[in-house]
Amino acid sequence: DTGVSQDPRHKITKRGQNVTFRCDPISEHNRLYWYRQTLGQGPEFLTYFQNEAQLEKSRLLSDRFSAERPKGSFSTLEIQRTEQGDSAMYLCASSLVVGSTYEQYFGPGTRLTVT
Amino acid sequence: LAKTTQPISMDSYEGQEVNITCSHNNIATNDYITWYQQFPSQGPRFIIQGYKTKVTNEVASLFIPADRKSSTLSLPRVSLSDTAVYYCLVGDMSGFQKLVFGTGTRLLVSP
């Protein structure tokens, strides 16, 4: 399978704990994105990387959130001191911009539940 | 980024053609229209993208009138597996760096 993969698929944690999610993009894609999706809503943009550079961060990404893509390949999203409001599906996507078609390929997501 | 408006939900039966219309009155000259599909517990999946007139691929067709203030995603002969949420997005190439999803249209296909 050469699609975007995410690990873990599910995470249950207690409020105040730190969690880290991993995303492995499609290998030749140089752009990687993180989104968050809550029940009944569409995904919301959090941040994106071009290679290892983090080019944009949403205001949704509080100081408790940090994302890295150290070698321009996989990425990690860490949430410190989790809160119940952080419970959501965290989606990773990757892309390679070619011509006039712009398509992002999404992974299956990591569902976080904060108790 | 242009705001989009879609129906919240639609119902259909297997074998029927489904047309989902998206309104984007403030679309800009450089904006493209893109549709994504999302199944429960999965990430969204790109369906189709277009700028004007008609675009067709193996999955769907996209109809865009001359004024480009709306667009219609057409799914021919739907099956139960087409039950999903469909999102319409509008943006130029820089806007598509961060996709802006609305609440989408929940399509339910029944036997």
Side-chain angles (χ1 to χ4, degrees), chain A residues 4-11 19-25 32-34 66-71 73-79 90-93 107-111:
Chain A
V4 177
S5 62
Q6 295 187 245
D7 183 70
R9 294 292 308 276
H10 303 274
K11 178 70 176 179
V19 294
T20 300
F21 310 140
R22 176 180 171 123
C23 170
D24 287 272
L32 186 148
Y33 312 79
W34 286 98
S66 63
E68 293 182 345
R69 195 183 182 197
K71 298 182 180 179
S73 56
F74 74 91
S75 175
T76 58
L77 178 68
E78 181 183 17
I79 308 175
Y90 290 84
L91 294 161
C92 175
T110 295
R111 182 167 295 282

PDB file of all heavy atoms in Angstrom, chain A residues 4-11 19-25 32-34 66-71 73-79 90-93 107-111:
ATOM      1  N   VAL A   4      -1.144   7.287   2.124  1.00  0.00           N
ATOM      2  CA  VAL A   4      -0.759   7.959   3.359  1.00  0.00           C
ATOM      3  C   VAL A   4      -1.154   7.079   4.540  1.00  0.00           C
ATOM      4  O   VAL A   4      -2.281   6.588   4.596  1.00  0.00           O
ATOM      5  CB  VAL A   4      -1.464   9.323   3.469  1.00  0.00           C
ATOM      6  CG1 VAL A   4      -1.115  10.003   4.786  1.00  0.00           C
ATOM      7  CG2 VAL A   4      -1.090  10.204   2.278  1.00  0.00           C
ATOM      8  N   SER A   5      -0.219   6.888   5.462  1.00  0.00           N
ATOM      9  CA  SER A   5      -0.536   6.077   6.637  1.00  0.00           C
ATOM     10  C   SER A   5      -0.386   6.922   7.889  1.00  0.00           C
ATOM     11  O   SER A   5       0.412   7.859   7.943  1.00  0.00           O
ATOM     12  CB  SER A   5       0.368   4.841   6.710  1.00  0.00           C
ATOM     13  OG  SER A   5       1.711   5.217   6.839  1.00  0.00           O
ATOM     14  N   GLN A   6      -1.193   6.576   8.900  1.00  0.00           N
ATOM     15  CA  GLN A   6      -1.168   7.279  10.173  1.00  0.00           C
ATOM     16  C   GLN A   6      -1.151   6.278  11.305  1.00  0.00           C
ATOM     17  O   GLN A   6      -1.780   5.220  11.211  1.00  0.00           O
ATOM     18  CB  GLN A   6      -2.378   8.209  10.304  1.00  0.00           C
ATOM     19  CG  GLN A   6      -2.372   9.353   9.294  1.00  0.00           C
ATOM     20  CD  GLN A   6      -3.486  10.340   9.553  1.00  0.00           C
ATOM     21  OE1 GLN A   6      -4.392  10.507   8.746  1.00  0.00           O
ATOM     22  NE2 GLN A   6      -3.415  11.020  10.691  1.00  0.00           N
ATOM     23  N   ASP A   7      -0.464   6.649  12.354  1.00  0.00           N
ATOM     24  CA  ASP A   7      -0.348   5.768  13.496  1.00  0.00           C
ATOM     25  C   ASP A   7      -0.331   6.574  14.787  1.00  0.00           C
ATOM     26  O   ASP A   7       0.354   7.613  14.843  1.00  0.00           O
ATOM     27  CB  ASP A   7       0.963   4.953  13.377  1.00  0.00           C
ATOM     28  CG  ASP A   7       1.108   3.959  14.504  1.00  0.00           C
ATOM     29  OD1 ASP A   7       0.334   2.966  14.515  1.00  0.00           O
ATOM     30  OD2 ASP A   7       1.975   4.168  15.370  1.00  0.00           O
ATOM     31  N   PRO A   8      -1.070   6.178  15.826  1.00  0.00           N
ATOM     32  CA  PRO A   8      -2.013   5.070  15.819  1.00  0.00           C
ATOM     33  C   PRO A   8      -3.325   5.445  15.139  1.00  0.00           C
ATOM     34  O   PRO A   8      -3.526   6.604  14.792  1.00  0.00           O
ATOM     35  CB  PRO A   8      -2.233   4.818  17.316  1.00  0.00           C
ATOM     36  CG  PRO A   8      -2.109   6.185  17.916  1.00  0.00           C
ATOM     37  CD  PRO A   8      -1.035   6.884  17.126  1.00  0.00           C
ATOM     38  N   ARG A   9      -4.199   4.502  14.951  1.00  0.00           N
ATOM     39  CA  ARG A   9      -5.522   4.792  14.398  1.00  0.00           C
ATOM     40  C   ARG A   9      -6.450   5.309  15.480  1.00  0.00           C
ATOM     41  O   ARG A   9      -7.340   6.118  15.201  1.00  0.00           O
ATOM     42  CB  ARG A   9      -6.109   3.542  13.758  1.00  0.00           C
ATOM     43  CG  ARG A   9      -5.353   3.067  12.527  1.00  0.00           C
ATOM     44  CD  ARG A   9      -5.503   4.042  11.356  1.00  0.00           C
ATOM     45  NE  ARG A   9      -6.889   4.353  11.082  1.00  0.00           N
ATOM     46  CZ  ARG A   9      -7.690   3.620  10.341  1.00  0.00           C
ATOM     47  NH1 ARG A   9      -7.245   2.514   9.783  1.00  0.00           N
ATOM     48  NH2 ARG A   9      -8.935   3.993  10.131  1.00  0.00           N
ATOM     49  N   HIS A  10      -6.247   4.848  16.685  1.00  0.00           N
ATOM     50  CA  HIS A  10      -7.079   5.296  17.800  1.00  0.00           C
ATOM     51  C   HIS A  10      -6.178   5.538  19.008  1.00  0.00           C
ATOM     52  O   HIS A  10      -5.205   4.807  19.221  1.00  0.00           O
ATOM     53  CB  HIS A  10      -8.125   4.239  18.173  1.00  0.00           C
ATOM     54  CG  HIS A  10      -9.008   3.846  17.047  1.00  0.00           C
ATOM     55  ND1 HIS A  10     -10.153   4.532  16.720  1.00  0.00           N
ATOM     56  CD2 HIS A  10      -8.908   2.838  16.147  1.00  0.00           C
ATOM     57  CE1 HIS A  10     -10.724   3.963  15.681  1.00  0.00           C
ATOM     58  NE2 HIS A  10      -9.992   2.939  15.308  1.00  0.00           N
ATOM     59  N   LYS A  11      -6.528   6.582  19.777  1.00  0.00           N
ATOM     60  CA  LYS A  11      -5.775   6.882  20.981  1.00  0.00           C
ATOM     61  C   LYS A  11      -6.735   7.395  22.035  1.00  0.00           C
ATOM     62  O   LYS A  11      -7.500   8.343  21.789  1.00  0.00           O
ATOM     63  CB  LYS A  11      -4.705   7.943  20.693  1.00  0.00           C
ATOM     64  CG  LYS A  11      -3.876   8.362  21.909  1.00  0.00           C
ATOM     65  CD  LYS A  11      -2.959   7.261  22.344  1.00  0.00           C
ATOM     66  CE  LYS A  11      -2.066   7.708  23.503  1.00  0.00           C
ATOM     67  NZ  LYS A  11      -1.165   6.616  23.959  1.00  0.00           N
ATOM     68  N   VAL A  19       0.285  13.453  23.935  1.00  0.00           N
ATOM     69  CA  VAL A  19       0.130  12.422  22.907  1.00  0.00           C
ATOM     70  C   VAL A  19       0.898  12.843  21.658  1.00  0.00           C
ATOM     71  O   VAL A  19       1.075  14.030  21.400  1.00  0.00           O
ATOM     72  CB  VAL A  19      -1.349  12.177  22.533  1.00  0.00           C
ATOM     73  CG1 VAL A  19      -2.108  11.586  23.712  1.00  0.00           C
ATOM     74  CG2 VAL A  19      -2.006  13.456  22.044  1.00  0.00           C
ATOM     75  N   THR A  20       1.336  11.865  20.914  1.00  0.00           N
ATOM     76  CA  THR A  20       2.047  12.121  19.663  1.00  0.00           C
ATOM     77  C   THR A  20       1.504  11.206  18.581  1.00  0.00           C
ATOM     78  O   THR A  20       1.345  10.004  18.804  1.00  0.00           O
ATOM     79  CB  THR A  20       3.560  11.876  19.815  1.00  0.00           C
ATOM     80  OG1 THR A  20       4.074  12.754  20.820  1.00  0.00           O
ATOM     81  CG2 THR A  20       4.289  12.158  18.507  1.00  0.00           C
ATOM     82  N   PHE A  21       1.244  11.782  17.423  1.00  0.00           N
ATOM     83  CA  PHE A  21       0.746  11.031  16.277  1.00  0.00           C
ATOM     84  C   PHE A  21       1.785  11.096  15.160  1.00  0.00           C
ATOM     85  O   PHE A  21       2.481  12.093  15.005  1.00  0.00           O
ATOM     86  CB  PHE A  21      -0.568  11.618  15.751  1.00  0.00           C
ATOM     87  CG  PHE A  21      -1.617  11.854  16.796  1.00  0.00           C
ATOM     88  CD1 PHE A  21      -2.405  12.986  16.752  1.00  0.00           C
ATOM     89  CD2 PHE A  21      -1.830  10.937  17.821  1.00  0.00           C
ATOM     90  CE1 PHE A  21      -3.377  13.206  17.707  1.00  0.00           C
ATOM     91  CE2 PHE A  21      -2.799  11.153  18.772  1.00  0.00           C
ATOM     92  CZ  PHE A  21      -3.572  12.306  18.728  1.00  0.00           C
ATOM     93  N   ARG A  22       1.813  10.045  14.366  1.00  0.00           N
ATOM     94  CA  ARG A  22       2.753   9.996  13.248  1.00  0.00           C
ATOM     95  C   ARG A  22       2.013   9.899  11.939  1.00  0.00           C
ATOM     96  O   ARG A  22       0.973   9.249  11.841  1.00  0.00           O
ATOM     97  CB  ARG A  22       3.676   8.795  13.403  1.00  0.00           C
ATOM     98  CG  ARG A  22       4.646   8.610  12.222  1.00  0.00           C
ATOM     99  CD  ARG A  22       5.544   7.436  12.387  1.00  0.00           C
ATOM    100  NE  ARG A  22       6.300   7.174  11.159  1.00  0.00           N
ATOM    101  CZ  ARG A  22       7.629   7.133  11.115  1.00  0.00           C
ATOM    102  NH1 ARG A  22       8.348   7.324  12.218  1.00  0.00           N
ATOM    103  NH2 ARG A  22       8.235   6.879   9.966  1.00  0.00           N
ATOM    104  N   CYS A  23       2.571  10.541  10.924  1.00  0.00           N
ATOM    105  CA  CYS A  23       2.033  10.460   9.564  1.00  0.00           C
ATOM    106  C   CYS A  23       3.152  10.140   8.595  1.00  0.00           C
ATOM    107  O   CYS A  23       4.201  10.803   8.596  1.00  0.00           O
ATOM    108  CB  CYS A  23       1.376  11.780   9.175  1.00  0.00           C
ATOM    109  SG  CYS A  23       0.921  11.881   7.423  1.00  0.00           S
ATOM    110  N   ASP A  24       2.936   9.147   7.765  1.00  0.00           N
ATOM    111  CA  ASP A  24       3.866   8.826   6.688  1.00  0.00           C
ATOM    112  C   ASP A  24       3.188   9.154   5.360  1.00  0.00           C
ATOM    113  O   ASP A  24       2.224   8.491   4.974  1.00  0.00           O
ATOM    114  CB  ASP A  24       4.274   7.357   6.731  1.00  0.00           C
ATOM    115  CG  ASP A  24       5.225   7.066   7.867  1.00  0.00           C
ATOM    116  OD1 ASP A  24       6.436   7.211   7.661  1.00  0.00           O
ATOM    117  OD2 ASP A  24       4.752   6.721   8.971  1.00  0.00           O
ATOM    118  N   PRO A  25       3.666  10.173   4.657  1.00  0.00           N
ATOM    119  CA  PRO A  25       3.014  10.582   3.401  1.00  0.00           C
ATOM    120  C   PRO A  25       3.406   9.662   2.256  1.00  0.00           C
ATOM    121  O   PRO A  25       4.256   8.776   2.404  1.00  0.00           O
ATOM    122  CB  PRO A  25       3.577  11.980   3.181  1.00  0.00           C
ATOM    123  CG  PRO A  25       4.960  11.900   3.762  1.00  0.00           C
ATOM    124  CD  PRO A  25       4.842  10.987   4.954  1.00  0.00           C
ATOM    125  N   LEU A  32       2.980  18.206   3.072  1.00  0.00           N
ATOM    126  CA  LEU A  32       2.286  17.418   4.082  1.00  0.00           C
ATOM    127  C   LEU A  32       1.439  18.346   4.915  1.00  0.00           C
ATOM    128  O   LEU A  32       1.865  19.428   5.311  1.00  0.00           O
ATOM    129  CB  LEU A  32       3.293  16.663   4.963  1.00  0.00           C
ATOM    130  CG  LEU A  32       2.738  15.667   5.981  1.00  0.00           C
ATOM    131  CD1 LEU A  32       3.710  14.514   6.186  1.00  0.00           C
ATOM    132  CD2 LEU A  32       2.388  16.312   7.294  1.00  0.00           C
ATOM    133  N   TYR A  33       0.195  17.909   5.206  1.00  0.00           N
ATOM    134  CA  TYR A  33      -0.786  18.739   5.889  1.00  0.00           C
ATOM    135  C   TYR A  33      -1.363  17.994   7.090  1.00  0.00           C
ATOM    136  O   TYR A  33      -1.498  16.770   7.061  1.00  0.00           O
ATOM    137  CB  TYR A  33      -1.960  19.066   4.952  1.00  0.00           C
ATOM    138  CG  TYR A  33      -1.556  19.540   3.579  1.00  0.00           C
ATOM    139  CD1 TYR A  33      -1.155  18.640   2.601  1.00  0.00           C
ATOM    140  CD2 TYR A  33      -1.595  20.891   3.247  1.00  0.00           C
ATOM    141  CE1 TYR A  33      -0.785  19.068   1.336  1.00  0.00           C
ATOM    142  CE2 TYR A  33      -1.236  21.330   1.985  1.00  0.00           C
ATOM    143  CZ  TYR A  33      -0.827  20.409   1.038  1.00  0.00           C
ATOM    144  OH  TYR A  33      -0.461  20.837  -0.210  1.00  0.00           O
ATOM    145  N   TRP A  34      -1.747  18.763   8.089  1.00  0.00           N
ATOM    146  CA  TRP A  34      -2.509  18.224   9.216  1.00  0.00           C
ATOM    147  C   TRP A  34      -3.846  18.957   9.292  1.00  0.00           C
ATOM    148  O   TRP A  34      -3.893  20.190   9.165  1.00  0.00           O
ATOM    149  CB  TRP A  34      -1.764  18.399  10.531  1.00  0.00           C
ATOM    150  CG  TRP A  34      -0.609  17.465  10.720  1.00  0.00           C
ATOM    151  CD1 TRP A  34       0.712  17.710  10.502  1.00  0.00           C
ATOM    152  CD2 TRP A  34      -0.673  16.109  11.209  1.00  0.00           C
ATOM    153  NE1 TRP A  34       1.470  16.608  10.797  1.00  0.00           N
ATOM    154  CE2 TRP A  34       0.647  15.614  11.240  1.00  0.00           C
ATOM    155  CE3 TRP A  34      -1.711  15.273  11.615  1.00  0.00           C
ATOM    156  CZ2 TRP A  34       0.956  14.322  11.661  1.00  0.00           C
ATOM    157  CZ3 TRP A  34      -1.413  13.991  12.024  1.00  0.00           C
ATOM    158  CH2 TRP A  34      -0.091  13.527  12.057  1.00  0.00           C
ATOM    159  N   SER A  66       2.332  21.000  18.562  1.00  0.00           N
ATOM    160  CA  SER A  66       3.550  21.202  17.781  1.00  0.00           C
ATOM    161  C   SER A  66       3.652  20.111  16.734  1.00  0.00           C
ATOM    162  O   SER A  66       3.317  18.956  16.984  1.00  0.00           O
ATOM    163  CB  SER A  66       4.794  21.205  18.674  1.00  0.00           C
ATOM    164  OG  SER A  66       4.947  19.964  19.307  1.00  0.00           O
ATOM    165  N   ALA A  67       4.100  20.501  15.560  1.00  0.00           N
ATOM    166  CA  ALA A  67       4.259  19.550  14.471  1.00  0.00           C
ATOM    167  C   ALA A  67       5.674  19.660  13.927  1.00  0.00           C
ATOM    168  O   ALA A  67       6.250  20.737  13.882  1.00  0.00           O
ATOM    169  CB  ALA A  67       3.238  19.812  13.372  1.00  0.00           C
ATOM    170  N   GLU A  68       6.186  18.527  13.512  1.00  0.00           N
ATOM    171  CA  GLU A  68       7.535  18.485  12.942  1.00  0.00           C
ATOM    172  C   GLU A  68       7.564  17.578  11.725  1.00  0.00           C
ATOM    173  O   GLU A  68       6.776  16.645  11.613  1.00  0.00           O
ATOM    174  CB  GLU A  68       8.539  17.943  13.976  1.00  0.00           C
ATOM    175  CG  GLU A  68       8.771  18.834  15.169  1.00  0.00           C
ATOM    176  CD  GLU A  68       9.815  18.248  16.102  1.00  0.00           C
ATOM    177  OE1 GLU A  68      10.150  17.060  15.976  1.00  0.00           O
ATOM    178  OE2 GLU A  68      10.302  19.010  16.962  1.00  0.00           O
ATOM    179  N   ARG A  69       8.506  17.857  10.865  1.00  0.00           N
ATOM    180  CA  ARG A  69       8.776  16.979   9.718  1.00  0.00           C
ATOM    181  C   ARG A  69      10.279  17.028   9.499  1.00  0.00           C
ATOM    182  O   ARG A  69      10.762  17.668   8.575  1.00  0.00           O
ATOM    183  CB  ARG A  69       8.020  17.458   8.483  1.00  0.00           C
ATOM    184  CG  ARG A  69       7.960  16.405   7.383  1.00  0.00           C
ATOM    185  CD  ARG A  69       7.275  16.925   6.149  1.00  0.00           C
ATOM    186  NE  ARG A  69       7.189  15.868   5.142  1.00  0.00           N
ATOM    187  CZ  ARG A  69       6.944  16.093   3.863  1.00  0.00           C
ATOM    188  NH1 ARG A  69       6.750  17.332   3.422  1.00  0.00           N
ATOM    189  NH2 ARG A  69       6.875  15.091   3.018  1.00  0.00           N
ATOM    190  N   PRO A  70      11.003  16.363  10.364  1.00  0.00           N
ATOM    191  CA  PRO A  70      12.452  16.580  10.470  1.00  0.00           C
ATOM    192  C   PRO A  70      13.268  16.321   9.214  1.00  0.00           C
ATOM    193  O   PRO A  70      14.207  17.033   8.934  1.00  0.00           O
ATOM    194  CB  PRO A  70      12.854  15.622  11.600  1.00  0.00           C
ATOM    195  CG  PRO A  70      11.743  14.643  11.725  1.00  0.00           C
ATOM    196  CD  PRO A  70      10.505  15.359  11.300  1.00  0.00           C
ATOM    197  N   LYS A  71      12.961  15.352   8.453  1.00  0.00           N
ATOM    198  CA  LYS A  71      13.766  15.061   7.267  1.00  0.00           C
ATOM    199  C   LYS A  71      12.954  15.206   5.999  1.00  0.00           C
ATOM    200  O   LYS A  71      13.325  14.701   4.943  1.00  0.00           O
ATOM    201  CB  LYS A  71      14.363  13.654   7.359  1.00  0.00           C
ATOM    202  CG  LYS A  71      15.305  13.476   8.534  1.00  0.00           C
ATOM    203  CD  LYS A  71      15.897  12.087   8.562  1.00  0.00           C
ATOM    204  CE  LYS A  71      16.845  11.933   9.754  1.00  0.00           C
ATOM    205  NZ  LYS A  71      17.425  10.568   9.831  1.00  0.00           N
ATOM    206  N   SER A  73      10.229  13.841   5.401  1.00  0.00           N
ATOM    207  CA  SER A  73       9.487  12.629   5.040  1.00  0.00           C
ATOM    208  C   SER A  73       8.288  12.491   5.968  1.00  0.00           C
ATOM    209  O   SER A  73       7.288  13.161   5.759  1.00  0.00           O
ATOM    210  CB  SER A  73      10.393  11.402   5.106  1.00  0.00           C
ATOM    211  OG  SER A  73      10.976  11.288   6.407  1.00  0.00           O
ATOM    212  N   PHE A  74       8.379  11.693   7.032  1.00  0.00           N
ATOM    213  CA  PHE A  74       7.253  11.545   7.944  1.00  0.00           C
ATOM    214  C   PHE A  74       7.103  12.788   8.809  1.00  0.00           C
ATOM    215  O   PHE A  74       8.013  13.636   8.900  1.00  0.00           O
ATOM    216  CB  PHE A  74       7.436  10.289   8.812  1.00  0.00           C
ATOM    217  CG  PHE A  74       8.479  10.441   9.882  1.00  0.00           C
ATOM    218  CD1 PHE A  74       8.142  10.885  11.148  1.00  0.00           C
ATOM    219  CD2 PHE A  74       9.809  10.137   9.620  1.00  0.00           C
ATOM    220  CE1 PHE A  74       9.108  11.024  12.129  1.00  0.00           C
ATOM    221  CE2 PHE A  74      10.779  10.274  10.582  1.00  0.00           C
ATOM    222  CZ  PHE A  74      10.430  10.724  11.844  1.00  0.00           C
ATOM    223  N   SER A  75       5.947  12.895   9.435  1.00  0.00           N
ATOM    224  CA  SER A  75       5.679  14.038  10.317  1.00  0.00           C
ATOM    225  C   SER A  75       5.078  13.537  11.620  1.00  0.00           C
ATOM    226  O   SER A  75       4.460  12.467  11.658  1.00  0.00           O
ATOM    227  CB  SER A  75       4.717  15.006   9.634  1.00  0.00           C
ATOM    228  OG  SER A  75       4.346  16.065  10.500  1.00  0.00           O
ATOM    229  N   THR A  76       5.282  14.318  12.671  1.00  0.00           N
ATOM    230  CA  THR A  76       4.635  14.029  13.948  1.00  0.00           C
ATOM    231  C   THR A  76       3.858  15.243  14.408  1.00  0.00           C
ATOM    232  O   THR A  76       4.249  16.387  14.141  1.00  0.00           O
ATOM    233  CB  THR A  76       5.659  13.648  15.028  1.00  0.00           C
ATOM    234  OG1 THR A  76       6.602  14.716  15.174  1.00  0.00           O
ATOM    235  CG2 THR A  76       6.389  12.368  14.681  1.00  0.00           C
ATOM    236  N   LEU A  77       2.747  14.978  15.059  1.00  0.00           N
ATOM    237  CA  LEU A  77       1.928  16.023  15.668  1.00  0.00           C
ATOM    238  C   LEU A  77       1.825  15.681  17.143  1.00  0.00           C
ATOM    239  O   LEU A  77       1.355  14.599  17.499  1.00  0.00           O
ATOM    240  CB  LEU A  77       0.536  16.065  15.029  1.00  0.00           C
ATOM    241  CG  LEU A  77      -0.447  17.078  15.616  1.00  0.00           C
ATOM    242  CD1 LEU A  77      -0.003  18.507  15.321  1.00  0.00           C
ATOM    243  CD2 LEU A  77      -1.860  16.840  15.068  1.00  0.00           C
ATOM    244  N   GLU A  78       2.285  16.585  17.987  1.00  0.00           N
ATOM    245  CA  GLU A  78       2.249  16.364  19.428  1.00  0.00           C
ATOM    246  C   GLU A  78       1.273  17.333  20.068  1.00  0.00           C
ATOM    247  O   GLU A  78       1.246  18.520  19.717  1.00  0.00           O
ATOM    248  CB  GLU A  78       3.627  16.538  20.064  1.00  0.00           C
ATOM    249  CG  GLU A  78       3.621  16.298  21.570  1.00  0.00           C
ATOM    250  CD  GLU A  78       4.963  16.536  22.242  1.00  0.00           C
ATOM    251  OE1 GLU A  78       5.833  17.188  21.635  1.00  0.00           O
ATOM    252  OE2 GLU A  78       5.132  16.074  23.388  1.00  0.00           O
ATOM    253  N   ILE A  79       0.487  16.820  20.979  1.00  0.00           N
ATOM    254  CA  ILE A  79      -0.409  17.649  21.777  1.00  0.00           C
ATOM    255  C   ILE A  79       0.018  17.494  23.230  1.00  0.00           C
ATOM    256  O   ILE A  79       0.027  16.381  23.763  1.00  0.00           O
ATOM    257  CB  ILE A  79      -1.884  17.246  21.626  1.00  0.00           C
ATOM    258  CG1 ILE A  79      -2.280  17.168  20.151  1.00  0.00           C
ATOM    259  CG2 ILE A  79      -2.772  18.251  22.356  1.00  0.00           C
ATOM    260  CD1 ILE A  79      -3.695  16.652  19.928  1.00  0.00           C
ATOM    261  N   TYR A  90      -7.753  13.357  13.808  1.00  0.00           N
ATOM    262  CA  TYR A  90      -6.626  14.116  13.275  1.00  0.00           C
ATOM    263  C   TYR A  90      -6.202  13.469  11.962  1.00  0.00           C
ATOM    264  O   TYR A  90      -5.797  12.314  11.923  1.00  0.00           O
ATOM    265  CB  TYR A  90      -5.489  14.183  14.284  1.00  0.00           C
ATOM    266  CG  TYR A  90      -5.853  15.064  15.444  1.00  0.00           C
ATOM    267  CD1 TYR A  90      -6.599  14.566  16.519  1.00  0.00           C
ATOM    268  CD2 TYR A  90      -5.533  16.413  15.453  1.00  0.00           C
ATOM    269  CE1 TYR A  90      -6.996  15.383  17.564  1.00  0.00           C
ATOM    270  CE2 TYR A  90      -5.912  17.237  16.500  1.00  0.00           C
ATOM    271  CZ  TYR A  90      -6.653  16.723  17.546  1.00  0.00           C
ATOM    272  OH  TYR A  90      -7.047  17.543  18.573  1.00  0.00           O
ATOM    273  N   LEU A  91      -6.313  14.253  10.905  1.00  0.00           N
ATOM    274  CA  LEU A  91      -6.070  13.750   9.556  1.00  0.00           C
ATOM    275  C   LEU A  91      -4.775  14.322   9.003  1.00  0.00           C
ATOM    276  O   LEU A  91      -4.467  15.497   9.196  1.00  0.00           O
ATOM    277  CB  LEU A  91      -7.217  14.139   8.629  1.00  0.00           C
ATOM    278  CG  LEU A  91      -8.572  13.506   8.920  1.00  0.00           C
ATOM    279  CD1 LEU A  91      -9.685  14.303   8.261  1.00  0.00           C
ATOM    280  CD2 LEU A  91      -8.601  12.068   8.438  1.00  0.00           C
ATOM    281  N   CYS A  92      -4.050  13.489   8.317  1.00  0.00           N
ATOM    282  CA  CYS A  92      -2.843  13.907   7.628  1.00  0.00           C
ATOM    283  C   CYS A  92      -3.080  13.743   6.128  1.00  0.00           C
ATOM    284  O   CYS A  92      -3.794  12.820   5.702  1.00  0.00           O
ATOM    285  CB  CYS A  92      -1.677  13.041   8.070  1.00  0.00           C
ATOM    286  SG  CYS A  92      -0.134  13.339   7.196  1.00  0.00           S
ATOM    287  N   ALA A  93      -2.522  14.632   5.345  1.00  0.00           N
ATOM    288  CA  ALA A  93      -2.632  14.533   3.891  1.00  0.00           C
ATOM    289  C   ALA A  93      -1.307  14.913   3.265  1.00  0.00           C
ATOM    290  O   ALA A  93      -0.489  15.608   3.879  1.00  0.00           O
ATOM    291  CB  ALA A  93      -3.748  15.445   3.379  1.00  0.00           C
ATOM    292  N   GLY A 107      -4.809  10.404   4.727  1.00  0.00           N
ATOM    293  CA  GLY A 107      -4.683   9.149   5.437  1.00  0.00           C
ATOM    294  C   GLY A 107      -5.987   8.814   6.146  1.00  0.00           C
ATOM    295  O   GLY A 107      -6.948   9.580   6.078  1.00  0.00           O
ATOM    296  N   PRO A 108      -6.011   7.679   6.849  1.00  0.00           N
ATOM    297  CA  PRO A 108      -7.243   7.243   7.507  1.00  0.00           C
ATOM    298  C   PRO A 108      -7.555   7.995   8.791  1.00  0.00           C
ATOM    299  O   PRO A 108      -8.658   7.901   9.308  1.00  0.00           O
ATOM    300  CB  PRO A 108      -6.976   5.773   7.804  1.00  0.00           C
ATOM    301  CG  PRO A 108      -5.491   5.705   7.941  1.00  0.00           C
ATOM    302  CD  PRO A 108      -4.933   6.712   6.977  1.00  0.00           C
ATOM    303  N   GLY A 109      -6.580   8.754   9.296  1.00  0.00           N
ATOM    304  CA  GLY A 109      -6.812   9.539  10.496  1.00  0.00           C
ATOM    305  C   GLY A 109      -6.451   8.823  11.786  1.00  0.00           C
ATOM    306  O   GLY A 109      -6.352   7.590  11.833  1.00  0.00           O
ATOM    307  N   THR A 110      -6.229   9.621  12.813  1.00  0.00           N
ATOM    308  CA  THR A 110      -6.059   9.125  14.187  1.00  0.00           C
ATOM    309  C   THR A 110      -7.180   9.709  15.019  1.00  0.00           C
ATOM    310  O   THR A 110      -7.310  10.932  15.103  1.00  0.00           O
ATOM    311  CB  THR A 110      -4.708   9.558  14.789  1.00  0.00           C
ATOM    312  OG1 THR A 110      -3.647   8.945  14.071  1.00  0.00           O
ATOM    313  CG2 THR A 110      -4.638   9.161  16.260  1.00  0.00           C
ATOM    314  N   ARG A 111      -7.983   8.827  15.589  1.00  0.00           N
ATOM    315  CA  ARG A 111      -9.093   9.313  16.424  1.00  0.00           C
ATOM    316  C   ARG A 111      -8.617   9.434  17.858  1.00  0.00           C
ATOM    317  O   ARG A 111      -8.221   8.446  18.471  1.00  0.00           O
ATOM    318  CB  ARG A 111     -10.294   8.381  16.349  1.00  0.00           C
ATOM    319  CG  ARG A 111     -11.479   8.897  17.172  1.00  0.00           C
ATOM    320  CD  ARG A 111     -12.765   8.179  16.877  1.00  0.00           C
ATOM    321  NE  ARG A 111     -13.231   8.389  15.518  1.00  0.00           N
ATOM    322  CZ  ARG A 111     -13.833   9.480  15.086  1.00  0.00           C
ATOM    323  NH1 ARG A 111     -14.021  10.496  15.891  1.00  0.00           N
ATOM    324  NH2 ARG A 111     -14.248   9.554  13.831  1.00  0.00           N
TER     325      ARG A 111
END
